[in-house]
Amino acid sequence: MKTARPLPDDFRRRPFTVVEAAEAGVSRKRLRHRSLAALGRGIRSLDPTPELPLSVRVRPFIEVNERCAASHLTAAELGSLPARRQKEGPQMYHVIRPKGAAHLNRPHVIVHRMRLYDDEITLLDGIPITTPERTWLDLAEMLTVDELVVAGDSCVRVPRLELEGRDMPLCSLADLQRMIDRHKGKRGVRKAREAIKLIRVGSDSPQESLLRLAIVRAGLPEPELNVPIIDDGGTRHHEPDLSYRKYRIGIEYEGEHHGDEEQIVRDIARSERYTALGWTEVRISKRHMHNDAKAAVAKVRAALVQAGWRPGR
């Protein structure tokens, strides 16, 4: 077989649809060449393609399927919502179609046909995707209650403008509740009703959410989230990840980045501030979270008891 004509530069770096290739002047003969892999009817890609962002990989699968949007785990990853990662194997994309739409059976695509309202779809980088609140409700079909709480905490948290370029949450608790009320018979809705009672505004990471859940389930008081320490003179200080102002206890979850040299310096300075303010600092790391976070809960309980807390009070 003769050497194939070069593709337009853009098509060499990503999967593309037959329709857009034709519009760019690529011939049908070229689209049948063995150098191209068929990823399903109407989708082609150079074989192999480099590792690409999910948005680039999923786009053609949305474009060739009318009335579809990315949903479930795919929408969660696109929208940066924490959720269970897909197991190793062929990449599968979750898409949603309105209930009553024609059935689709395509490789690489898991199609969900269910009730879908226009205001439950938005655009992200030009790709139709379920809104954060609808994505959260759909995740109830496949996540545990704790995982759903983690995703919900991420939806309603208020981001820091200087760090993330936005200061508005992805959605509100009221938005999540509206999804539950709107889709009363949907699979997973009972789990969503249980999870929404445990979602809190203020958790900045999945581990902070899981630590809070473990603390509460162990019968300890529920801590506040990212509330600043204000000293007796009214000066505002740093915000512990979790805290008990009554007992002057701050709980800090230290992720992997806390091993950086600059972060270590900041952590030491933070510990010194705790001491100067008369507060107790409880530092939790990944190793404390194993076995249902029993070690983390034990550290928090010990600090509370030392500060005067007693069960049942």
Side-chain angles (χ1 to χ4, degrees):
M1 184 178 289
K2 293 182 180 180
T3 302
R5 289 185 177 183
L7 291 168
D9 287 344
D10 186 36
F11 296 158
R12 298 179 193 177
R13 297 187 294 267
R14 63 174 179 86
F16 55 88
T17 67
V18 169
V19 171
E20 63 178 330
E23 291 174 349
V26 180
S27 68
R28 291 185 179 180
K29 182 177 180 180
R30 177 65 182 91
L31 292 171
R32 293 194 297 268
H33 194 272
R34 65 185 180 185
S35 63
L36 293 179
L39 303 182
R41 190 172 70 247
I43 303 174
R44 300 290 184 270
S45 176
L46 275 176
D47 192 17
T49 53
E51 188 63 30
L52 298 168
L54 177 61
S55 59
V56 176
R57 287 181 277 127
V58 75
R59 184 188 298 272
F61 292 91
I62 300 296
E63 291 178 346
V64 298
N65 296 315
E66 294 181 355
R67 302 179 68 195
C68 281
S71 68
H72 294 72
L73 294 174
T74 302
E77 187 172 347
L78 285 169
S80 300
L81 286 182
R84 185 185 306 151
R85 288 200 172 272
Q86 185 167 286
K87 294 180 180 179
E88 291 298 323
Q91 177 71 62
M92 299 298 292
Y93 306 111
H94 291 264
V95 300
I96 192 169
R97 302 194 86 191
K99 190 175 182 180
H103 178 69
L104 281 178
N105 185 13
R106 287 180 176 273
H108 308 289
V109 176
I110 299 173
V111 181
H112 305 267
R113 289 194 302 170
M114 54 187 65
R115 185 181 301 168
L116 182 67
Y117 295 90
D118 290 342
D119 64 355
E120 295 171 3
I121 300 294
T122 187
L123 289 178
L124 181 68
D125 296 329
I127 302 172
I129 177 177
T130 49
T131 60
E133 57 267 35
R134 176 59 198 259
T135 300
W136 176 81
L137 184 63
D138 288 335
L139 290 174
E141 299 178 11
M142 50 191 65
L143 299 186
T144 66
V145 170
D146 281 8
E147 289 170 334
L148 201 57
V149 172
V150 168
D153 280 0
S154 183
C155 281
V156 303
R157 64 175 288 270
V158 179
R160 292 166 172 79
L161 182 62
E162 67 276 13
L163 298 177
E164 301 169 63
R166 64 183 181 92
D167 59 1
M168 293 296 294
L170 296 176
C171 64
S172 66
L173 272 169
D175 292 327
L176 299 181
Q177 186 62 56
R178 179 168 54 89
M179 289 296 102
I180 292 174
D181 296 340
R182 178 182 277 183
H183 297 277
K184 293 181 178 179
K186 189 178 185 302
R187 188 161 69 95
V189 74
R190 289 186 180 180
K191 196 185 302 178
R193 290 194 186 104
E194 183 178 351
I196 199 170
K197 298 174 184 177
L198 302 170
I199 293 171
R200 301 290 185 269
V201 175
S203 185
D204 275 343
S205 75
Q207 291 299 329
E208 289 178 29
S209 297
L210 293 173
L211 177 57
R212 183 188 82 244
L213 292 175
I215 287 171
V216 173
R217 285 179 181 150
L220 303 183
E222 180 167 344
E224 295 180 293
L225 308 176
N226 287 286
V227 175
I229 296 174
I230 300 177
D231 64 24
D232 295 338
T235 301
R236 181 187 178 115
H237 296 272
H238 72 281
E239 302 173 2
D241 294 334
L242 305 92
S243 64
Y244 298 103
R245 282 184 285 180
K246 178 180 178 180
Y247 299 102
R248 291 179 172 250
I249 295 172
I251 306 165
E252 304 285 358
Y253 182 84
E254 301 185 346
E256 294 180 0
H257 71 284
H258 283 264
D260 298 340
E261 186 174 348
E262 291 184 1
Q263 185 62 48
I264 290 173
V265 173
R266 288 193 291 269
D267 288 344
I268 292 173
R270 184 193 65 197
S271 296
E272 292 171 346
R273 287 196 301 273
Y274 269 113
T275 301
L277 291 166
W279 278 56
T280 299
E281 180 187 35
V282 179
R283 301 174 72 172
I284 304 296
S285 65
K286 184 178 180 179
R287 68 186 178 89
H288 296 108
M289 298 299 291
H290 298 304
N291 193 22
D292 296 326
K294 285 185 172 64
V297 170
K299 288 191 72 172
V300 175
R301 179 184 285 110
L304 281 167
V305 170
Q306 187 173 4
W309 173 81
R310 296 293 183 272
R313 284 188 181 177

